[in-house]
Amino acid sequence: DAKHLVPNKMRDFFCTINLDQEEVFRTQVVEKSLSPYFGEEFYFEIPRTFQWLSFYIYDKSVLQKDLRIGKVSIKKEDLCNYTGKENWFMLQPVDSNSEVQGKVHLELKLNELITDNGSVCQQLVVHIKECHGLPLINGQNCDPYATVSLVGPSRNDQKKTKVKKKTSNPQFNETFYFEVTRSSSYTKKSQFQVEEEDIEKLEVRVDLWNNGNLVQDVFLGEIKVPVKVLKNDSFQAWYLLQPRENGNKSSKTDDLGSLRLNICYTEDCVLPSEYYASLRNLLLKSADVQPVSASAAYILSEVCRDKYDAVLPLVRLLLHHHKLVPFVAAVAELDLKDTQEANTIFRGNSLATRCVDEMMKIVGKHYLKVTLKPVIDEICESPKPCEIDPIKLREGDNVEINMENLRYYVDKVFREIVRSSISCPTLMCDVFYSLRHLAAKRFPNDPHVQYSAVSSFVFLRFFAVAVVSPHTFHLRPHHPDAQTSRTLTLISKAIQTLGSWGSLTKSKLSSFKETFMCEFFKTFQEEKFTESVKKFLDDVSSTESKEPSGVSEPVHLKEGEMYKRAQGRTRIGKKNFKKRWFCLTTREFTYHKQQDKEPIFTIPIKNILAVEKLDESSFNKKNMFQVLHGEKPLYIQANNCVEASEWIEALCRVTRCNQKRLSFYHPSAFLNGNWLCCKATMENTEGCARCTADVPADTQIEIDGDRETERIYSLFTINRSKLQKLEEACGSIAVYQGPRKEPDDYSNFTIEDSVATFHTLQQIIDTVEKLNESHEKYQKKRSSSAKYGSEENPIVGKVS
């Protein structure tokens, strides 16, 4: 959220998330506010290098261009200082000086020359080669040029390159010459009309500009290099562009307001797979360790301050290697040992419940889409008034009509859920089956506990949460407005209570604190609801295979607006780019003139031969990819780098089993009679570059096992002191063998078998130390290979 935004009157605001200047996400517009609450979460993999993560606040305009109020920019290197906690940031003004980014490649050389009168002077040679990553201007590639100056106390010689059109990565390759003289070289006044001065005071300055044509040129950044560093040698390096030193020096910056952010940024250095073998094996055998509290996976959750930090990579790793179900069963059994009453089963935030929660989020996202998305869309796009709280009713509201509307929505959501068991992923069914039987074993005299064990997850922690927060489960693009959010909250409460009827208790009215919800629920006390829930819970906790009758419906995977290049079926007219609505299902890839219109063009999934990135140089456009099928390649431009990466990933996953997938492709386009990449003149020439590596084998879940193991290694490294404390605690228990003293250093740890736990801890510590050595070797190799001044490690600021 933001507060105290200017101008000091109620306006419509939205916020964008940008990698450097490239917008990757945008919030919904919050109307008529000075302190807008956005409440939106965005999770994404960063597909390219970047310097700044920026957040821009805009004032929405209907007739004119949206006005940028201010921004918060955080350097990539500083993100770790803010991760995992909320921070308020003051908004900074947006101008060309604050938008500087990119780097420039220079070669400098000093040559000695003898003049006609016999005196010696020095000539400076400046070769400006290229730039990378220059900022966007109004969301588009710029038209850059460079000025090269030799600057001293009494001189300012300036020269200029040619303008390069529509590119953020211009290739200049221009050389400029400047005469440089030392005062000791002269016996009379310089013939070069340069005042005598010391070379120590001269510097080369390179300024990058965007050519504005009819408007003022925009500053893109500068670098300064003192001439004295050359010492008669050639000097070649990459430099990060810097803002002007006096660019924003006003006596007092206006208070533009502030923005509250909660950022979680992780950066992993993943080594080759063989380095993780020991740690991976240690984690994967956790379900077989007796007791499970002595396993590496359980110890990981014990030493992490927040269990969620451990659960996410752990669940993904176990899922990837098909080891999750036995581990969840083992930790759930440990959970049940401490559960004294059947009606509190799986209600806490234990390792078992968090593992199941995370598994449902990962495995069940398509299940949620096919079950809830149509009805959630209806509620959000055509909302009916549903408020039934007498205190919150507005003037003119009819509580009886509102109750009917709410009942209609609840019935529809409930009906979709109890009919959805056929779509429930097998892995979820396997986990529910284990939980059901463990609960029945723990409480053999309670016939209802086997149902409440499953309903506490599938209704309370899965469907009810998705209904109240559809944006976090990708069912809606944005956080719903206040009225719709209230409607979803009431529906979610009703679904939780209906779902808990799976325990078959006589009345659940006591679960409502609000009188109005009790009145509403009196209309639901019918046997059919109880029977529907019972049948649904039986179905989703069964290990029997559930084959749908008839042909299964295609699963909707992804949709959105992008630009496609005209296919070029006619020779008349320019092959331009047109905005289209794209849709991907498990059966076909289509594009439409508009959303909800019939498809203009359809490619069956089985016909897709490859999906690859397209070089920017092909059409001078960023974020392009190509879909190769039976006809000409379909060239598509996504709106940003994150979106392009997600589309390529989704298309690759769904086409992984295609029989005729290509091994080679052309990374550039076929234009003007030849392929730009290899210059071949035949359009049907085999590709000149190998297709990207094999895609993951699971179309529903893409998991990088090595990356998850690296995350777990990082967690063990961060919590090394706790591992040692736990090791000392095991030693003390083994030696002492007496009653535990209260309190002590290890009373918060679960230690059932001190000898087994101690043995696992030693294995973890040894494995982590070996990985530490491997990382140190890699870092040394990396630092020695990435020389300061190279493209990977450009020079920042002046060279000294």
Side-chain angles (χ1 to χ4, degrees):
D1 59 348
K3 63 183 181 183
H4 309 318
L5 299 180
V6 295
N8 294 316
K9 55 183 178 179
M10 306 294 264
R11 301 302 290 264
D12 302 341
F13 294 105
F14 65 91
C15 180
T16 66
I17 304 174
N18 296 55
L19 287 175
D20 300 320
Q21 275 85 41
E22 183 182 18
E23 181 184 323
V24 292
F25 288 107
R26 177 180 292 211
T27 69
Q28 64 182 355
V29 177
V30 177
E31 297 179 347
K32 295 181 173 54
S33 176
L34 279 176
S35 298
Y37 177 77
F38 300 109
E40 299 199 38
E41 293 180 10
F42 301 95
Y43 170 83
F44 59 101
E45 297 284 336
I46 298 175
R48 63 170 177 83
T49 58
F50 70 103
Q51 295 177 42
W52 299 87
L53 178 66
S54 300
F55 303 83
Y56 292 79
I57 295 286
Y58 284 83
D59 179 359
K60 179 73 176 173
S61 176
V62 178
L63 300 175
Q64 298 176 335
K65 187 179 173 185
D66 298 331
L67 177 66
R68 287 192 292 192
I69 300 297
K71 72 171 184 177
V72 172
S73 288
I74 306 171
K75 266 189 175 179
K76 177 186 173 184
E77 295 77 14
D78 296 334
L79 282 170
C80 57
N81 300 329
Y82 302 106
T83 192
K85 52 192 174 185
E86 287 186 358
N87 293 278
W88 280 100
F89 297 88
M90 296 297 293
L91 290 178
Q92 302 299 316
V94 182
D95 57 28
S96 61
N97 202 55
S98 71
E99 296 285 270
V100 169
Q101 70 172 59
K103 52 194 172 186
V104 59
H105 191 192
L106 283 186
E107 183 177 7
L108 306 172
K109 190 175 182 181
L110 269 179
N111 293 329
E112 284 198 346
L113 298 177
I114 300 175
T115 63
D116 294 339
N117 63 2
S119 63
V120 177
C121 77
Q122 290 181 304
Q123 183 188 58
L124 174 67
V125 183
V126 180
H127 179 194
I128 179 165
K129 295 188 172 184
E130 58 184 319
C131 292
H132 279 183
L134 295 182
L136 305 175
I137 304 296
N138 298 325
Q140 302 294 323
N141 282 337
C142 53
D143 294 339
Y145 69 89
T147 60
V148 183
S149 309
L150 182 62
V151 182
S154 54
R155 69 184 287 177
N156 188 354
D157 298 346
Q158 187 179 94
K159 301 184 180 183
K160 177 181 167 184
T161 68
K162 293 176 182 175
V163 175
K164 300 296 179 181
K165 292 288 186 181
K166 302 295 177 199
T167 177
S168 295
N169 304 312
Q171 302 281 329
F172 291 114
N173 280 321
E174 294 192 42
T175 305
F176 301 100
Y177 301 90
F178 299 89
E179 273 66 38
V180 179
T181 57
R182 294 182 190 272
S183 55
S184 58
S185 304
Y186 287 97
T187 54
K188 58 182 183 178
K189 196 74 174 171
S190 166
Q191 70 185 54
F192 298 111
Q193 298 178 352
V194 176
E195 289 190 20
E196 298 173 12
E197 58 188 349
D198 194 334
I199 195 172
E200 298 284 322
K201 298 175 183 176
L202 291 177
E203 65 181 12
V204 178
R205 193 180 79 209
V206 178
D207 295 83
L208 271 294
W209 297 85
N210 176 63
N211 183 39
N213 291 324
L214 301 177
V215 296
Q216 188 175 1
D217 292 355
V218 177
F219 174 73
L220 302 179
E222 69 176 15
I223 63 151
K224 296 177 180 179
V225 185
V227 175
K228 65 183 180 182
V229 302
L230 301 180
K231 299 175 184 176
N232 298 321
D233 292 324
S234 177
F235 187 85
Q236 184 176 174
W238 284 87
Y239 299 83
L240 273 183
L241 289 168
Q242 302 295 311
R244 287 175 176 145
E245 290 177 358
N246 60 348
N248 273 330
K249 288 189 177 176
S250 58
S251 56
K252 182 178 181 295
T253 305
D254 291 335
D255 186 359
L256 301 173
S258 51
L259 183 65
R260 182 167 58 165
L261 302 169
N262 190 338
I263 300 167
C264 186
Y265 174 76
T266 56
E267 184 175 323
D268 301 315
C269 171
V270 183
L271 300 172
S273 188
E274 59 268 20
Y275 286 89
Y276 298 107
S278 298
L279 181 57
R280 183 169 56 240
N281 294 337
L282 200 57
L283 292 160
L284 294 180
K285 68 179 185 182
S286 292
D288 303 321
V289 174
Q290 294 292 334
V292 72
S293 61
S295 68
Y298 196 91
I299 289 169
L300 175 69
S301 72
E302 287 281 272
V303 298
C304 286
R305 188 169 61 100
D306 184 348
K307 270 190 172 60
Y308 181 76
D309 290 340
V311 165
L312 182 58
L314 183 60
V315 167
R316 291 171 69 85
L317 179 70
L318 294 174
L319 265 176
H320 185 62
H321 292 281
H322 310 292
K323 296 284 187 180
L324 183 66
V325 178
F327 178 73
V328 167
V331 291
E333 192 169 13
L334 181 62
D335 220 22
L336 288 168
K337 282 183 184 177
D338 297 328
T339 306
Q340 303 305 317
E341 296 181 19
N343 61 355
T344 62
I345 192 167
F346 299 132
R347 291 298 173 96
N349 278 326
S350 64
L351 177 60
T353 57
R354 289 197 173 203
C355 283
V356 178
D357 285 351
E358 199 54 47
M359 177 275 296
M360 292 190 298
K361 281 182 188 175
I362 297 169
V363 176
K365 61 182 179 181
H366 291 304
Y367 177 34
L368 276 178
K369 273 191 177 180
V370 297
T371 305
L372 289 184
K373 193 173 190 314
V375 65
I376 294 291
D377 284 344
E378 180 188 338
I379 295 166
C380 293
E381 291 166 12
S382 308
K384 298 177 181 179
C386 293
E387 185 55 73
I388 58 173
D389 184 352
I391 298 172
K392 295 184 178 181
L393 285 173
R394 297 175 182 175
E395 189 177 345
D397 279 355
N398 187 320
V399 71
E400 290 181 1
I401 292 176
N402 289 6
M403 197 173 284
E404 285 179 16
N405 292 338
L406 182 60
R407 176 64 194 255
Y408 166 77
Y409 283 147
V410 170
D411 277 343
K412 194 159 188 179
V413 171
F414 178 80
R415 190 165 59 248
E416 292 299 330
I417 291 172
V418 295
R419 289 178 178 175
S420 71
S421 59
I422 197 74
S423 304
C424 187
T426 306
L427 190 73
M428 286 176 66
C429 295
D430 291 343
V431 169
F432 295 152
Y433 175 82
S434 294
L435 296 176
R436 177 177 179 167
H437 284 270
L438 287 169
K441 181 181 171 185
R442 174 70 179 85
F443 298 101
N445 299 322
D446 189 331
H448 310 312
V449 72
Q450 58 178 316
Y451 294 107
S452 57
V454 178
S455 68
S456 64
F457 285 106
V458 73
F459 277 100
L460 271 67
R461 293 171 175 265
F462 187 57
F463 284 120
V465 179
V467 167
V468 82
S469 301
H471 56 292
T472 60
F473 288 84
H474 306 291
L475 298 176
R476 295 292 297 169
H478 297 295
H479 191 285
D481 61 51
Q483 184 181 332
T484 308
S485 189
R486 173 66 179 161
T487 299
L488 292 172
T489 300
L490 293 171
I491 297 169
S492 178
K493 285 184 177 184
I495 293 300
Q496 286 183 52
T497 304
L498 284 171
S500 66
W501 281 13
S503 63
L504 306 182
T505 48
K506 291 180 182 177
S507 174
K508 282 291 172 183
L509 295 180
S510 58
S511 66
F512 289 114
K513 296 176 183 176
E514 306 98 335
T515 309
F516 64 87
M517 285 301 288
C518 291
E519 291 299 317
F520 174 64
F521 238 82
K522 285 178 182 176
T523 63
F524 281 89
Q525 293 191 39
E526 303 169 22
E527 188 68 24
K528 66 174 185 178
F529 286 99
T530 304
E531 287 304 313
S532 295
V533 171
K534 182 176 179 294
K535 183 179 183 307
F536 171 73
L537 295 173
D538 279 332
D539 288 344
V540 297
S541 57
S542 166
T543 56
E544 295 176 9
S545 61
K546 303 183 290 297
E547 292 297 330
S549 56
V551 181
S552 61
E553 286 296 308
V555 177
H556 177 97
L557 299 176
K558 191 168 177 61
E559 64 180 353
E561 206 168 56
M562 295 187 290
Y563 296 84
K564 66 96 189 173
R565 186 175 185 259
Q567 297 276 344
R569 295 188 183 86
T570 173
R571 292 181 178 275
I572 303 170
K574 186 180 178 183
K575 296 175 187 174
N576 57 353
F577 283 79
K578 293 182 178 177
K579 188 185 288 187
R580 293 289 182 256
W581 185 265
F582 288 81
C583 184
L584 174 65
T585 71
T586 50
R587 190 176 294 168
E588 59 192 20
F589 181 49
T590 58
Y591 64 76
H592 315 241
K593 200 161 191 175
Q594 292 174 339
Q595 188 178 4
D596 300 326
K597 297 287 186 184
E598 288 299 309
I600 301 172
F601 190 69
T602 300
I603 307 174
I605 292 300
K606 63 182 181 181
N607 291 356
I608 295 178
L609 307 176
V611 182
E612 298 288 346
K613 289 182 180 179
L614 187 71
D615 282 353
E616 182 183 334
S617 58
S618 298
F619 302 105
N620 220 357
K621 292 180 182 292
K622 289 177 177 287
N623 307 316
M624 289 205 64
F625 63 95
Q626 53 184 320
V627 180
L628 307 178
H629 57 109
E631 301 178 34
K632 293 187 177 184
L634 177 60
Y635 297 129
I636 301 170
Q637 183 188 26
N639 293 295
N640 57 65
C641 61
V642 173
E643 187 179 82
S645 177
E646 288 176 350
W647 272 105
I648 293 169
E649 178 189 304
L651 283 159
C652 283
R653 277 190 280 135
V654 79
T655 59
R656 69 189 169 88
C657 295
N658 287 359
Q659 296 290 324
K660 298 179 180 179
R661 282 184 68 92
L662 297 177
S663 299
F664 292 87
Y665 78 107
H666 290 284
S668 289
F670 186 82
L671 294 174
N672 302 321
N674 66 71
W675 290 101
L676 299 180
C677 40
C678 59
K679 307 305 178 188
T681 54
M682 297 292 289
E683 197 167 357
N684 60 356
T685 303
E686 187 182 16
C688 56
R690 182 170 287 280
C691 287
T692 47
D694 291 339
V695 292
D698 194 327
T699 60
Q700 299 294 325
I701 313 162
E702 189 202 2
I703 294 172
D704 183 338
D706 293 337
R707 183 175 181 181
E708 304 307 331
T709 314
E710 170 63 29
R711 291 294 312 137
I712 292 170
Y713 151 74
S714 299
L715 291 169
F716 276 135
T717 304
I718 293 165
N719 295 286
R720 178 65 189 269
S721 61
K722 286 189 179 179
L723 287 173
Q724 290 170 334
K725 267 191 181 179
L726 190 52
E727 195 177 31
E728 290 166 10
C730 290
S732 300
I733 293 169
V735 172
Y736 177 53
Q737 295 291 341
R740 183 175 294 187
K741 297 173 185 176
E742 296 284 348
D744 57 34
D745 284 342
Y746 49 88
S747 57
N748 292 327
F749 295 132
T750 302
I751 305 175
E752 292 180 286
D753 185 329
S754 59
V755 176
T757 305
F758 185 83
H759 178 65
T760 305
L761 281 163
Q762 284 190 317
Q763 290 180 298
I764 292 170
I765 291 168
D766 288 346
T767 305
V768 167
E769 283 177 354
K770 286 177 183 174
L771 270 170
N772 278 338
E773 291 172 10
S774 301
H775 272 282
E776 284 171 10
K777 285 179 184 175
Y778 172 79
Q779 290 297 345
K780 282 181 183 175
K781 184 179 177 183
R782 187 182 179 191
S783 60
S784 61
S785 61
K787 189 175 78 172
Y788 191 49
S790 64
E791 186 175 0
E792 298 79 18
N793 189 17
I795 294 168
V796 182
K798 283 189 180 182
V799 182
S800 57

